[in-house]
Amino acid sequence: MAEIRIAVVGVGRMGMTHAQNLAGRVRGARLVAVTTSNEERAAEARHCCGGVVVYPGLDELLASERLDAVCISSSTSAHADNVVQCAAAGVHIFCEKPLALSLADCDRAIAAAENAGVKLMVGHVRRFDAGHVAARRYIESGAIGKPLVFRAISGDVDPPPPSFADPAVSGGLIVDAMYHDLYLSRWLMADEVERAYAEGGALVDPAIGAVGDVDNAVVTLRFIQGAMGTLFVSRTCRYGHDLRIEVIGDEGAVQIGYFRQTPVRLLDRQGVHHDMPRTTPDRLSEAFVVELQAFVDSIRDGVQPPVVGADSRATLEIGLAATRAMHEGLPVSI
Amino acid sequence: MAEIRIAVVGVGRMGMTHAQNLAGRVRGARLVAVTTSNEERAAEARHCCGGVVVYPGLDELLASERLDAVCISSSTSAHADNVVQCAAAGVHIFCEKPLALSLADCDRAIAAAENAGVKLMVGHVRRFDAGHVAARRYIESGAIGKPLVFRAISGDVDPPPPSFADPAVSGGLIVDAMYHDLYLSRWLMADEVERAYAEGGALVDPAIGAVGDVDNAVVTLRFIQGAMGTLFVSRTCRYGHDLRIEVIGDEGAVQIGYFRQTPVRLLDRQGVHHDMPRTTPDRLSEAFVVELQAFVDSIRDGVQPPVVGADSRATLEIGLAATRAMHEGLPVSI
Amino acid sequence: MAEIRIAVVGVGRMGMTHAQNLAGRVRGARLVAVTTSNEERAAEARHCCGGVVVYPGLDELLASERLDAVCISSSTSAHADNVVQCAAAGVHIFCEKPLALSLADCDRAIAAAENAGVKLMVGHVRRFDAGHVAARRYIESGAIGKPLVFRAISGDVDPPPPSFADPAVSGGLIVDAMYHDLYLSRWLMADEVERAYAEGGALVDPAIGAVGDVDNAVVTLRFIQGAMGTLFVSRTCRYGHDLRIEVIGDEGAVQIGYFRQTPVRLLDRQGVHHDMPRTTPDRLSEAFVVELQAFVDSIRDGVQPPVVGADSRATLEIGLAATRAMHEGLPVSI
Amino acid sequence: MAEIRIAVVGVGRMGMTHAQNLAGRVRGARLVAVTTSNEERAAEARHCCGGVVVYPGLDELLASERLDAVCISSSTSAHADNVVQCAAAGVHIFCEKPLALSLADCDRAIAAAENAGVKLMVGHVRRFDAGHVAARRYIESGAIGKPLVFRAISGDVDPPPPSFADPAVSGGLIVDAMYHDLYLSRWLMADEVERAYAEGGALVDPAIGAVGDVDNAVVTLRFIQGAMGTLFVSRTCRYGHDLRIEVIGDEGAVQIGYFRQTPVRLLDRQGVHHDMPRTTPDRLSEAFVVELQAFVDSIRDGVQPPVVGADSRATLEIGLAATRAMHEGLPVSI
């Protein structure tokens, strides 16, 4: 089959990574173009992705290129409109998470893709990390028995700027930074959430409190079949980018993640010392390649992508419920 | 100073451990007697603690021996009465946790000791484990900055018999098995809990559900200064006796506990394999010695013991609030 | 500067990896051609490295393409001749390790590159692994004091076919499979070896004994400044691809490598289980990219590559001495 | 059966540990006396081992007490004479390692015990550590296939005073500090050593060189059935008391020991930090109890102790051969 002609919409940090992976590491795809109105970004894209054409925006891209697919890495607020526009153009769509910050926008984007008969995959990158894949396989094999509890921590080293932390832009801490854990809880527990409770606070960064968000929160989940979840998310995890999940069943448990980046330890009179991951690429660079490969393969094979719009909508729904629970101080049913 | 003459009241599994430690490893104390009405237990005590006298009960013990102190390891329901009786006899008291299952009984026991002018220490053994001690020292030194979140897991390999799981006997899962974590959260966070929420279920053992308890639960805590806690407790942790705590601050974190008992790994074609602790003594045998040493030292030095009745009362109060939250489905303030 | 036009000579497993990395991940280089006389290999190269031209051999390649550089991944016995021919053609050379199996061939290759004024880098990939780089940096910083002992293990899961194990083809176990450790001992200890002793045997695979080689060996090194080395190499390390180095100094130590591949653990009634690396790419895939990037950068920047022909020659010299010591049962001076 | 009446001969650091264990933790034994001519030591023994009688020396002890057994912890040079004297007195003997520093003295001690019909156990404490016991069990079960290589490291934090390092007193570094590894190599490989080679140097502490010893050494062993050993011993292991053994077989491997003492980790902006064992008791305190229990049990049950005089003699023989190899620069057959 011919190569999938693909373009990246928006080459911020995340989009540039996608562009490089599409240019050099994803098989069966050809990166033909990117969009950005930023000159520096355009120059960097030209440098790292030989031969790529740069357009100022999505209109120009769709008007000029014959594409099979797009990878949307624009700002979250633009996702739904971008999806609708690309669906109308008849191209398959990979969209960064979250699909949107409201359920209505999710529904609009999902409907547009369905009506146009194009694929809509949402970027849930950790779903493609070897550790998470192996954990899911262990669970499906029965190695841990019936899943009882989902435990997660997601810690980022540094808080984002207040302009992004603003819940109107980011969706708030839980929607933004606990998103992956909320999705993974559904995927690993093979169940749906029926109730959420949360506590949170702007305990470290007053600027985050000033825009109406919190910088640390804990969330309790109740699943339909009785299992439970206990999650912690932090924007101020100075010791590292701490992504860990445990699923404990009635026969065993799986633990994903570890405290080590570079394979070296220093031993001295003070003890034993080693580093740990500090950034998302430290921990997940391979998963970004596997994720886009899965998207390209789903087009080539004519099958449904492994993560679809409804997954992002269901994840958002939990995040919104937990956020409301946090603000109201009461559990919220979904 | 002369040796502290001490007796152990009740030599079930826990009491027998205390008796052996007092006989062989705690300095400055002399184990003179134990109480038990069970012939086998009496024989075992005589065998392992050379020269010890066995009495059928506390009445006979107090009537016959001149004691400086007692170590109460009777059933929980007898604790408060035992404390009151020993206080009246003027002996210093070490009592296994929890002091009682009601705040009223705690108050009664605490008052009795105060009025009699005897020491009342409650058995919070993990407080004396080297890992917990080091973690507290790190926190006090400022190494992790301001504590933001307390994360804990306490898993027992096998559920207790339904006769014990009965909340009227054990206090219920949270009071009984999350007790240490609730105490340690106050001790490590150096703060008090103001609100608790919980989810739980009899997910594995119907016999536990039949007596009105749950076998797995998660608890969310809110501390007065804004910090949060997220705790999980399980009676069905088949993979091992899993005791772990993390305290995450705004500059770093401490993690207590690990997944390894015997210092050996097996590597074969299937991968790397090792064991983990399966029982309390696996993990805490040294701490039981240090704990009783601290009690004996506090008598010898005329100082307050490191854990007192009020600590057990405050811990119970959180446990009762979390239990109520679990049953009512709403957060409970303390 | 324009892109470096580069071709890969020989696309066996190793050469195909180099080709893919040059096509997709090394910046500043353009993979223009590969050589192979194998039709399947040619097809795979065309598939994975879009637009690459395939030539049957080096003669045809050099006759047809204007190249800046080559990456030689042919069989070891062809390395020296390939280097001489490419040097004559005036292209910069990256050659897989070892440069040759005799010191005379090393000398011939090194001289050819020098006379032609082209760069000659030899593929010492572990030198570019993040763990090894960090260890070297710790040592240079003085964190471990004066290096006293170099400890290494290199274990491959499965023995090679007897046709390769034949010392005339592979150089024998020590030259072939301990090569990286011997090089790294010089690099990390910042010293040269003056004496080697070895014990070895065909303890597992009689086919290896039949062609005159051993499948397991230990080597003792003495460095000029007094430090020591103790190394173990195995072709029959069924539990995994075990690459570990420790350097112990008079103030501390560094340890490179670990026992974990996928970031997941399974815990069940039997204990804790995880996998470990089983292949070279498991452990070193990033290092292969960094290595070729260093080669390309050295051409672009007009500087000496980080590993040169003399490094491979010095490494071979130790390997030959240790091999002789093993056969003679006596230490051999270098 | 009545309790074994036992005395400790010599209460230096090691003997005091034995005395405390016999007084408080070993079942079926009663510590009745210790010998020391040092007043402070005598006071400490009286304090920690309630009711113990102190004699100035072995003559007085044997003249005054009716004993079943002795635990000899005198200086190494006195071991053989002490054993002969106690054997003549008809008491069973536990003697700290090594039994003597010459094969002739070993033979004399072994013969005395045999002629007197008393048990002679030598203190090989690591043989009783849970990690070593589990490793041996794995090997015996066939879990690693045929043992091919024994790898060991023994590192002490600080060098001993030159007066002890003197080979005439200590036997030299290899005999003194690699002793346990040499014994364990025979025990774990279930084979005997036929040849040894060594390199060593006074690389850190000139005072050790001045008395004719080395502070760091590596030893290569060849076993009769073809397996090999590669061992490193250091008196200057400032980062900790590093005791690790690996046995690699043709189907798997076992690894004994780990880098962690207190069960706590600190995570901060610099990375992850934890301590490691720094002293023998850190790592082996339980094993000292198990070891003496095995001695007492062997008397009670009338069976041979698990470690006998011949084990110490065979270990010494390897140590002397390796020491000679180091000084002569040639392999030495045994």
Side-chain angles (χ1 to χ4, degrees), chain D residues 34-82:
Chain D
V34 305
T35 76
T36 179
S37 57
N38 177 303
E39 262 317 299
E40 274 182 49
R41 286 282 159 179
E44 184 183 342
R46 281 188 201 99
H47 175 70
C48 75
C49 312
V52 81
V53 183
V54 180
Y55 293 95
L58 182 53
D59 291 343
E60 295 83 351
L61 171 71
L62 292 175
S64 310
E65 292 283 347
R66 183 182 54 77
L67 294 173
D68 299 306
V70 291
C71 166
I72 298 175
S73 301
S74 52
S75 64
T76 299
S77 58
H79 283 180
D81 285 346
N82 288 170

Side-chain angles (χ1 to χ4, degrees), chain C residues 148-311:
Chain C
L148 304 176
V149 168
F150 177 88
R151 270 185 114 213
I153 180 169
S154 278
D156 277 315
V157 173
D158 291 309
S163 61
F164 177 81
D166 181 353
V169 176
S170 69
L173 174 69
I174 292 173
V175 164
D176 178 52
M178 196 182 267
Y179 180 92
H180 285 297
D181 287 327
L182 295 173
Y183 166 69
L184 293 165
S185 80
R186 298 171 55 243
W187 185 62
L188 289 169
M189 305 295 280
D191 199 354
E192 296 293 336
V193 172
E194 71 170 4
R195 187 164 62 229
Y197 178 79
E199 295 273 3
L203 302 178
V204 182
D205 188 345
I208 284 183
V211 296
D213 200 7
V214 298
D215 50 29
N216 283 271
V218 298
V219 168
T220 300
L221 302 178
R222 183 81 189 197
F223 293 85
I224 289 174
Q225 296 172 48
M228 296 164 286
T230 167
L231 300 85
F232 167 51
V233 62
S234 176
R235 295 227 193 261
T236 60
C237 201
R238 267 68 184 252
Y239 61 87
H241 189 44
D242 191 357
L243 300 181
R244 280 177 292 148
I245 285 175
E246 299 178 44
V247 178
I248 297 152
D250 65 355
E251 282 296 323
V254 286
Q255 301 184 317
I256 309 167
Y258 47 28
F259 291 101
R260 195 97 170 265
Q261 179 61 23
T262 312
V264 69
R265 287 197 284 203
L266 174 67
L267 298 87
D268 61 21
R269 289 175 194 245
Q270 278 69 52
V272 183
H273 317 278
H274 58 83
D275 67 356
M276 66 174 288
R278 293 194 72 77
T279 67
T280 300
D282 277 355
R283 177 72 179 73
L284 294 171
S285 60
E286 281 299 307
F288 285 112
V289 178
V290 178
E291 178 183 53
L292 283 178
Q293 190 67 61
F295 174 58
V296 167
D297 290 353
S298 76
I299 297 173
R300 188 198 58 204
D301 300 342
V303 299
Q304 177 165 299
V307 184
V308 295
D311 289 306

Side-chain angles (χ1 to χ4, degrees), chain B residues 48 54 74 266 286 291:
Chain B
C48 76
V54 181
S74 53
L266 174 67
E286 281 300 304
E291 177 182 54

Side-chain angles (χ1 to χ4, degrees), chain B residues 242-287:
Chain B
D242 191 357
L243 301 181
R244 281 176 291 147
I245 286 174
E246 299 178 45
V247 178
I248 296 151
D250 64 355
E251 282 296 322
V254 286
Q255 301 184 317
I256 309 167
Y258 47 29
F259 291 101
R260 194 96 169 267
Q261 179 61 23
T262 312
V264 70
R265 288 198 283 204
L266 174 67
L267 298 85
D268 61 21
R269 290 176 193 244
Q270 279 69 51
V272 182
H273 317 279
H274 59 83
D275 67 357
M276 65 174 290
R278 293 194 71 78
T279 67
T280 300
D282 278 355
R283 178 68 181 74
L284 294 171
S285 61
E286 281 300 304

Side-chain angles (χ1 to χ4, degrees), chain C residues 146 149 151-152 195 197 199-200 203 216 220 222 226 228 230 232 238 244 246 248 250 253 255 259 329 331, chain D residues 146 149 151-152 195 197 199-200 203 216 220 222 226 228 230 232 238 244 246 248 250 255 259 329 331:
Chain C
K146 179 171 72 165
V149 168
R151 270 185 114 213
R195 187 164 62 229
Y197 178 79
E199 295 273 3
L203 302 178
N216 283 271
T220 300
R222 183 81 189 197
M228 296 164 286
T230 167
F232 167 51
R238 267 68 184 252
R244 280 177 292 148
E246 299 178 44
I248 297 152
D250 65 355
Q255 301 184 317
F259 291 101
Chain D
K146 180 171 71 166
V149 168
R151 269 185 115 215
R195 188 166 58 229
Y197 179 79
E199 296 272 4
L203 303 178
N216 283 270
T220 299
R222 183 81 188 200
M228 297 164 287
T230 166
F232 166 52
R238 267 67 185 252
R244 280 177 292 147
E246 298 179 44
I248 296 151
D250 63 356
Q255 300 184 318
F259 291 101

